[in-house]
Amino acid sequence: MTRDAAGVGEGLAAARPARPIVTGEAIHVVGVAGAGASAAALLAHRAGAHVTGCDAGGPSPYTAALDAVGIPVSWAHDPAHVTAVRPDRLAVTKAITAVDAHHPELEAARAAGVPLEPWQQVVADAAVGRTLVAVAGTHGKSTTAGWLVHVLVAAGHDPAAFVGALLPPELTGGLPATARWGRGPAFVVEADEYAGNFDAYRPDIAIVTSAEWDHPDVFADRDAVIAAFAAWLGNARDGATLVANAGDDGVKALIDRLRDARLRLATYALTDDQAPDRHARLLGRIVDADRSGTTVEIRGLGSEPSITVRLATAGRHNVANALAVAAAAEALGVESAAIADGLGTFPGVGRRLERKGEARGVVVYDDYGHHPTAIRATIGAIRQREPGRRVWAVYEPLTYHRTAALLDDFAEALATADAVAIADIWAGRDPDTTVATPQGLADAVARRRPGMTVDAPGSVEATADWLAGEVRPGDAVLVMGGGKSYRIGERLLERLSD
């Protein structure tokens, strides 16, 4: 296990070797409205389990897919979910155990002898018998995992998957969802390093997109993050392939640490000149970038000296994600022509540079970016996508400790926009609300760009309402963050339309 924050995962069973889900077994998922927990419920349901769920937070963008397949969900927590039904096991998100290790349903399960497991274990069990492809890294996991699913579907490989962002209906065969059920050999999962979340996954192919300091409530520094990745990869299956971004300093340090591991290396890197790189086998170079997409030359894929692919996405970070997808798809036996086609037709996943709409000449985008590096990269991508517009960076900070620990880095990244709004901090699993404030972050941005419009209007609703009076035709509004930040863009468009 990785170094655990106090209370995170307390009382949950340690990761174990995956075993098949038994037809008819009863699995209750606590916190089922979350992106990952909803996927665990969907995948267990498709594997034959009898699944129920509950979430005191009410419906979310992820729960419509649960309703569509008939999974019963209660919008309250109640020990009777355990005592009246006695499920065979209870799966839970660590967002709950981090805040309340003695949650009443968890306590009821312990008293009844019902095994308590993180929802990731359910996903791992659903993947038994498949080629497990785990997509890890500080940044880019959801886009890379979703992109790989798209390439495999387009090539006729019919994968199953869990992705931490909504996959479009054309990939799920129904409503947007964070899970896909396929009959092909590959099972793609997004593998998160937080507090050992990825420990349940023992991959045949692992992708590591980046390794940077994040989750300061769990990791002391970047070296602790790299150590967690190394420990996880040490449990990969014999002969596993590691698809690694040799253009990332943290991943290069990880590769050095894994020198004696029995892993096959498939490295990639985005370069500016296509010069030979002893660290990377697959090289990408940006040939052209404009508002409609990015043209990339890729060397080392298949038998051709190089191939040129037109991506519909923007930003250097997404080109690096495309290279990861290409290397992983090749390891799965996809032909290079099919890889190129799939890379070029990827429509994106939910809340990753997602264009929400335009009203009164103001265009609104939504993104999950909640780390300084991701924020800076996404602002750069918006400038490529919407040249000449004034760019608003609207950020809902995700957890108090991350905001406090990375405050200066957040301020530097947000100051690369033209105007900034900071919504209230989303606490999530972080109960200590005293270590940071949204106004403190707004003040730090203002110090870096005197004269810039910067404010901290309050809740996501208040932030949207304030923006409606501040934006002007020709602006591009980029909403970023976890929690409920997606409501800002929706409400802003409504207000502008009214």
Side-chain angles (χ1 to χ4, degrees), residues 275-291:
D277 186 327
R278 67 183 181 87
H279 292 291
R281 185 186 65 79
L282 192 72
L283 290 174
R285 179 175 69 93
I286 297 175
V287 176
D288 183 56
D290 56 39
R291 64 184 307 163

Side-chain angles (χ1 to χ4, degrees), residues 253 307 341 354 360 368 387 409 477 487:
I307 62 171
D341 288 344
E354 181 181 2
R360 288 196 192 170
Y368 188 65
D409 293 332
V477 177
R487 294 180 177 173

